[in-house]
Amino acid sequence: MATPSLLGPTAGLVPDVRRIAVLRANALGDFVFALPALDALRAAYPSAEIVLLGAPWHVKLWQDRPGPVDRVLVVPPAPGIRTPESGEPESSIDDFVAAAVGEDFDIAVQIHGGGANSNPFVSRLGARLTVGLRADDAPPLDRCLPYIYYQHEVIRYLEVVGLVGAPATTIVPTLAVTDDDRAEAARVLGPADRPRVALHPGATDTRRRWPAERFAEVARALHDDGYEVLVTGTPAEQEVVDRVVAAAGVPVRPQVGTFSLGGLIGCYADCALVVSNDTGPVHLAAAVGTPTVGIFWVGNLITTANPLRGRHRPISSWMVHCPVCGVDCTPGIYPHRPGDGECPHRDSFVTDVPVVEVLEAARDLLSR
């Protein structure tokens, strides 16, 4: 029997469910998008154990943190599943599967991608029922939804859990902030004598990076407005953080590798605003309740930008042609349209976003 939902009717509940496996083993922002689906599963199956099949960093995230995940099983690195973290010991996917079969999962949920690699993996777990996404090149699960690229990620995963009778309870990812998170941030940063804002100028995909010099202009303006400006980054982003700090010309505080993930959560939770490229930290900041200004390529605006506008302002670039060779980079999704679709260049696709738009959005949010 169908159950009413924010997204329309869902399937009926699966009977006698004691344990649910959920595959979502990728990066920080990707995981944030899955939180409403996990919340829906928790609400629909309150007595079931929800086991996240994830990466080592998920174990740290969910240690003593309230939320819908009861336990994390670390999936070994495998093609199309996840890449190894630095210093991670080798482990066997076959050994993992053998142990997972012994978990007696009632439902295995694939919200990891199109399924070419993840669906065969999920099918091996021995669950009574498998559900998930399926692209054209992927084998089926027991219940599938087609993987259509241009759909918001949060809604995509909510539709999947609807296949097992878990109606959406929210479309907004939310992550609890713990006392330990805030205590670590306070140890690193010390007391604030002015309201803090954080800028995050990095992104793994360089096509999503707004120029560092423009982040520096934002840093300078917000400093002059009376804010303490932090510039956050991973060790791999040290160079771009250094460029922002050097170009700002005013005192800003670089924070590269100074926080654990929990400390970064505590840092962002106590900021008045986070300004960032479209990358994990901007989605993390929104999930802990901090207002954000994000710089997005238009395709990613469709699939990942926070839908709320009272606290979040995604600023969109409308560039679809490679700035180096001019190739239209949309026909990879729409193959019947003219153009090559792909090119090897990784130059920024968001350079048409002017500083004034970002500052106007930042100041408007800060004034609220």
Coordinates of all heavy atoms in Angstrom, one line a residue, residues 9-10 49 69 72 104 114 127 138 142 145 175 189 198 206 250 265 275 278 286 303 321-323 326 338 343 355:
P9 N 3.5 9.5 -3.4 CA 3.3 8.2 -2.8 C 4.6 7.4 -2.9 O 5.3 7.5 -3.9 CB 2.1 7.6 -3.5 CG 2.0 8.3 -4.8 CD 2.5 9.7 -4.6
T10 N 4.9 6.6 -1.9 CA 6.0 5.7 -1.9 C 5.4 4.3 -1.8 O 4.2 4.1 -1.6 CB 6.9 5.9 -0.7 OG1 6.2 5.6 0.5 CG2 7.4 7.4 -0.6
E49 N 18.5 -1.4 12.4 CA 19.9 -0.9 12.5 C 20.3 -0.4 11.1 O 20.1 -1.2 10.1 CB 20.9 -2.0 12.9 CG 22.3 -1.4 13.0 CD 23.3 -2.5 13.4 OE1 23.1 -3.7 13.0 OE2 24.3 -2.2 14.0
V69 N 22.6 7.2 11.3 CA 23.5 6.1 11.1 C 23.9 5.4 12.4 O 24.4 6.1 13.3 CB 24.8 6.6 10.4 CG1 25.8 5.4 10.3 CG2 24.5 7.1 9.0
V72 N 29.1 2.1 11.0 CA 29.8 2.2 9.7 C 30.6 1.0 9.4 O 31.4 0.6 10.3 CB 30.6 3.5 9.6 CG1 31.4 3.5 8.3 CG2 29.8 4.7 9.8
D104 N 23.4 -10.5 7.6 CA 21.9 -10.8 7.3 C 21.2 -9.5 7.1 O 20.1 -9.2 7.7 CB 21.3 -11.5 8.5 CG 21.9 -13.0 8.6 OD1 22.2 -13.6 7.6 OD2 22.0 -13.4 9.8
G114 N 25.4 5.5 -10.7 CA 24.6 4.9 -11.7 C 24.5 3.4 -11.6 O 23.7 2.7 -12.3
A127 N 21.4 -9.5 0.8 CA 20.2 -8.9 1.4 C 18.9 -9.5 0.8 O 18.9 -10.0 -0.4 CB 20.2 -7.4 1.1
A138 N 24.2 -0.4 -16.4 CA 24.3 -1.0 -15.1 C 23.3 -2.2 -15.0 O 22.2 -2.2 -15.6 CB 24.0 -0.1 -14.0
D142 N 16.7 -5.5 -7.4 CA 15.4 -5.9 -7.2 C 14.4 -4.8 -7.6 O 13.3 -5.0 -8.2 CB 15.1 -6.4 -5.8 CG 15.9 -7.7 -5.5 OD1 16.1 -8.5 -6.5 OD2 16.3 -7.9 -4.4
L145 N 15.4 2.7 -9.8 CA 15.0 3.9 -10.5 C 16.1 4.3 -11.6 O 17.3 4.0 -11.3 CB 14.9 5.1 -9.5 CG 13.7 5.1 -8.6 CD1 13.9 6.3 -7.6 CD2 12.5 5.3 -9.4
L175 N 23.0 18.1 9.9 CA 24.0 17.3 10.6 C 24.2 17.9 12.0 O 24.4 19.1 12.1 CB 25.4 17.3 9.9 CG 26.5 16.4 10.3 CD1 26.1 14.9 10.0 CD2 27.8 16.7 9.5
L189 N 41.1 28.1 17.3 CA 40.9 29.5 17.0 C 41.0 30.5 18.1 O 41.2 31.6 17.9 CB 39.5 29.6 16.3 CG 39.3 28.9 15.0 CD1 37.9 29.0 14.5 CD2 40.2 29.4 13.9
A198 N 34.0 32.5 7.1 CA 35.0 31.6 6.5 C 34.9 31.6 5.0 O 33.8 31.6 4.5 CB 34.9 30.2 7.1
T206 N 39.2 21.5 -10.5 CA 39.6 22.9 -10.8 C 38.6 23.6 -11.6 O 38.6 24.9 -11.6 CB 41.0 22.9 -11.4 OG1 41.0 22.1 -12.6 CG2 42.0 22.4 -10.4
V250 N 45.1 42.2 3.9 CA 44.6 42.5 5.2 C 44.8 41.3 6.1 O 45.0 40.2 5.5 CB 43.1 43.0 5.2 CG1 42.9 44.3 4.5 CG2 42.2 41.8 4.6
I265 N 33.5 21.2 11.5 CA 32.1 21.3 11.7 C 31.9 22.4 12.8 O 31.0 23.3 12.7 CB 31.5 20.0 12.1 CG1 31.4 19.0 10.9 CG2 30.1 20.1 12.7 CD1 31.0 17.6 11.2
V275 N 31.6 31.4 2.6 CA 31.7 31.7 1.2 C 32.6 30.6 0.5 O 33.7 30.5 1.0 CB 32.2 33.1 0.9 CG1 32.1 33.3 -0.6 CG2 31.3 34.1 1.6
D278 N 31.7 25.3 -5.0 CA 30.8 24.2 -4.9 C 31.7 23.0 -4.6 O 32.2 22.3 -5.5 CB 30.1 24.0 -6.3 CG 29.4 22.6 -6.3 OD1 29.0 22.1 -5.3 OD2 29.2 22.1 -7.4
A286 N 26.2 24.4 5.3 CA 24.7 24.5 5.2 C 24.0 23.5 6.1 O 23.0 23.7 6.8 CB 24.2 24.3 3.8
T303 N 22.0 20.2 -9.7 CA 22.1 18.9 -9.0 C 22.5 19.0 -7.5 O 22.2 18.1 -6.8 CB 23.2 18.0 -9.7 OG1 24.4 18.7 -9.7 CG2 22.7 17.7 -11.2
H321 N 30.6 26.4 -22.5 CA 31.6 26.2 -23.4 C 33.0 26.2 -22.7 O 33.3 27.2 -22.0 CB 31.6 27.2 -24.6 CG 30.4 27.0 -25.5 ND1 29.2 27.7 -25.2 CD2 30.1 26.3 -26.6 CE1 28.3 27.4 -26.1 NE2 28.8 26.5 -26.9
C322 N 33.9 25.3 -23.0 CA 35.2 25.3 -22.4 C 35.9 26.6 -22.7 O 36.0 27.0 -23.9 CB 36.0 24.1 -23.0 SG 37.8 24.2 -22.5
P323 N 36.4 27.3 -21.7 CA 37.1 28.5 -21.9 C 38.4 28.4 -22.7 O 38.9 29.5 -23.2 CB 37.4 29.1 -20.5 CG 37.4 27.8 -19.6 CD 36.4 26.9 -20.3
G326 N 36.5 26.0 -26.4 CA 35.2 26.4 -26.9 C 34.2 25.2 -27.1 O 33.1 25.5 -27.6
P338 N 24.4 19.2 -31.1 CA 25.7 19.3 -31.7 C 26.8 19.7 -30.7 O 26.6 20.3 -29.7 CB 25.5 20.5 -32.7 CG 24.3 21.3 -32.1 CD 23.5 20.3 -31.5
C343 N 36.1 17.6 -23.2 CA 37.4 18.0 -23.6 C 38.3 17.8 -22.5 O 37.9 17.5 -21.4 CB 37.3 19.5 -24.0 SG 37.2 20.6 -22.6
V355 N 32.8 39.6 -8.5 CA 32.9 39.8 -7.1 C 31.7 40.5 -6.5 O 31.2 40.1 -5.4 CB 34.2 40.6 -6.8 CG1 34.2 41.0 -5.3 CG2 35.4 39.7 -7.1

